[in-house]
Amino acid sequence: MQLNQHFRDLEQSYLFSTVGRKAAAYAAAHPEQKVIRMGIGDVTLPLAAPVITALHAAVDEMAHKETFHGYGPDQGYEFLQQAIAGYYAQRGVSLALEEIFISDGAKSDIGNILDLFGPDNTVLVPDPVYPVYRDTNLMAGRRVVLAPATEENGFLPMPTPGLHADIVYLCSPNNPTGAAYTRAQLKEWVDWANREDAILLYDAAYECFIRDPNLARSIFEVEGARSCAIEFCSFSKIAGFTGTRCGYTVLPGGLARDGMELAPMWLRRQTTKYNGTPYIVQRAAAAVFTEEGMAAIQQNLDYYRQNAAVLGAALTEAGVTYYGGENSPYLWLKCPGGMGSWEFFDWLLENAQVVGTPGEGFGECGRGWFRLTAFGDAAETREAAARIAAALKTLNA
Ligand code: MLT
């Protein structure tokens, strides 16, 4: 018997499991304290009314022989593919329906897409970044090279002279730093990837937070991206589907490497290992893109944006340097007093009973940084902001 020895290369537990465990241990030891959780970026608003209506109607369909649905089409229902294609068309990106693959979420697709790539590819992963990119490649034993995302480069690594990698992950707006690429910056990555025969794995899970018109919401807004990029998107952040589970991957027709086309490979992979997102969930997801759905969702996004503004104001008041929170639901702050990320995690828990995410958990370059999420309940976020500001004042006193 042999097990996958590459698991030895991983941290013992997934970042958000560690944060959750530490927060639970603190709460158990201090039952009199109200702990406010701003660690994992989980949404707090319920599904929007038009989404719930669609979900109910789909559940009712399942109750009748004439309207019941069993296994769905391989790539997802056409009604949802069409709704997604319409969403992309609004920003000038034209997609064929066969280029849209519905799934149970971007996280699964980001991990699963690696089935398409050989084990000897070199993978470039920004540091810090969503830990799934690094961990899934380490599990498969691939060589991971890190691209530092620092205050100096605006947390947006760019191709450097002589850079070679086969697979590059880009996350924009970025988790955890909140930095987002402009179209011009993405064009540099696209040109580099086309020259190098590399593939860009573009995580657009937070695109709905972008308001600055210079920032790209999809890599396919950039000329040349169809011959080098795959985009992953999610209903979790745009529409609160973290517990409902739905996402999609856009894989352009004709994208090929090493004599093989990637879209048919992905279809083969998905049909072999995945039986599709539930019909009722796909109906709910399609409602997101209706006029009423979009209006309701914008209200929810504004609610989270307001949370980000409240947190940002508290940090500014306390003289703490932070980034993000503008075109992103995350605020990335420099730990005050030269504290390390985990040190500040403990300090904040102890002194404000607020849980955040230590920057170091996203990579070495996150050392001394800390992430707060704006996805919380508004009243709790205001309370957390007041507690954080008050606690930080004691540091400065
Ligand atoms: C996060 O907190 O980074 C995200 O919620 C994790 C995820 O989307 O899987």
Side-chain angles (χ1 to χ4, degrees):
M1 153 65 72
Q2 269 192 337
L3 289 181
N4 183 348
Q5 296 297 312
H6 299 303
F7 273 65
R8 293 184 190 278
D9 300 331
L10 301 169
E11 296 286 332
Q12 207 184 352
S13 91
Y14 183 57
L15 172 63
F16 295 108
S17 312
T18 309
V19 168
R21 224 184 19 253
K22 276 178 163 262
Y26 181 88
H30 302 86
E32 72 293 353
Q33 309 266 33
K34 180 182 163 211
V35 175
I36 301 182
R37 289 163 203 269
M38 312 188 83
I40 191 159
D42 197 2
V43 293
T44 48
L45 289 175
L47 296 175
V51 172
I52 288 292
T53 304
L55 192 53
H56 276 295
V59 169
D60 286 342
E61 284 185 66
M62 297 300 273
H64 304 284
K65 200 165 193 303
E66 303 72 40
T67 48
F68 168 78
H69 286 79
Y71 292 125
D74 290 343
Q75 284 187 221
Y77 285 95
E78 197 175 310
F79 62 77
L80 181 53
Q81 290 174 307
Q82 249 156 8
I84 293 168
Y87 183 60
Y88 273 71
Q90 285 165 15
R91 63 191 83 136
V93 175
S94 159
L95 297 178
L97 298 192
E98 312 78 72
E99 298 177 327
I100 301 167
F101 297 76
I102 313 297
S103 72
D104 64 344
K107 179 177 181 175
S108 326
D109 282 3
I110 285 167
N112 294 336
I113 198 80
L114 294 175
D115 278 3
L116 275 49
F117 299 96
D120 296 329
N121 289 312
T122 297
V123 184
L124 187 77
V125 175
D127 172 10
V129 88
Y130 185 38
V132 170
Y133 313 153
R134 187 187 55 224
D135 288 358
T136 49
N137 278 288
L138 290 179
M139 282 177 190
R142 271 189 207 90
R143 195 169 97 85
V144 172
V145 180
L146 299 172
T150 59
E151 203 173 8
E152 288 68 40
N153 64 15
F155 305 104
L156 294 170
M158 296 299 297
T160 47
L163 171 71
H164 176 73
D166 303 295
I167 300 170
V168 176
Y169 287 83
L170 298 176
C171 177
S172 179
N174 186 268
N175 178 8
T177 66
Y181 284 107
T182 62
R183 277 181 211 92
Q185 288 171 316
L186 284 183
K187 176 77 176 129
E188 282 189 46
W189 273 114
V190 163
D191 290 346
W192 171 88
N194 280 323
R195 269 196 317 273
E196 288 289 326
D197 218 23
I199 293 283
L200 303 176
L201 299 180
Y202 190 80
D203 183 350
Y206 299 93
E207 59 79 24
C208 56
F209 280 91
I210 290 181
R211 278 189 295 189
D212 178 343
N214 292 315
L215 302 175
R217 295 184 62 165
S218 161
I219 195 159
F220 298 115
E221 291 171 34
V222 174
E223 194 202 329
R226 288 182 59 87
S227 53
C228 65
I230 302 175
E231 180 159 294
F232 302 91
C233 223
S234 165
F235 287 89
S236 288
K237 317 294 164 159
I238 187 175
F241 274 54
T242 52
T244 309
R245 308 308 309 152
C246 194
Y248 54 94
T249 287
V250 177
L251 209 168
L255 176 58
R257 290 292 183 275
D258 197 18
M260 294 168 89
E261 253 201 72
L262 277 82
M265 287 172 74
W266 180 235
L267 181 60
R268 186 71 172 82
R269 189 267 169 220
Q270 290 295 77
T271 46
T272 307
K273 296 194 183 180
Y274 182 60
N275 253 341
T277 309
Y279 170 74
I280 57 172
V281 171
Q282 294 195 52
R283 275 289 179 204
V288 169
F289 299 116
T290 59
E291 212 178 308
E292 314 78 64
M294 271 290 138
I297 267 130
Q298 283 313 318
Q299 279 184 10
N300 291 357
L301 293 176
D302 285 344
Y303 175 98
Y304 296 133
R305 287 184 179 119
Q306 179 57 25
N307 284 347
V310 166
L311 289 168
L315 295 173
T316 303
E317 185 196 323
V320 172
T321 303
Y322 80 93
Y323 297 87
E326 276 291 321
N327 295 285
S328 151
Y330 296 127
L331 290 92
W332 184 241
L333 61 105
K334 199 178 267 188
C335 299
M339 276 191 250
S341 304
W342 283 105
E343 196 186 344
F344 185 62
F345 174 90
D346 291 333
W347 183 89
L348 200 62
L349 196 49
E350 226 16 89
N351 293 278
Q353 292 75 51
V354 172
V355 181
T357 309
E360 200 178 320
F362 297 97
E364 280 291 301
C365 293
R367 240 176 233 282
W369 291 83
F370 198 76
R371 193 193 80 176
L372 290 173
T373 160
F375 282 123
D377 166 77
E380 282 204 350
T381 300
R382 282 195 298 274
E383 187 176 337
R387 287 194 205 168
I388 292 171
L392 288 172
K393 270 193 198 126
T394 65
L395 262 191
N396 299 333

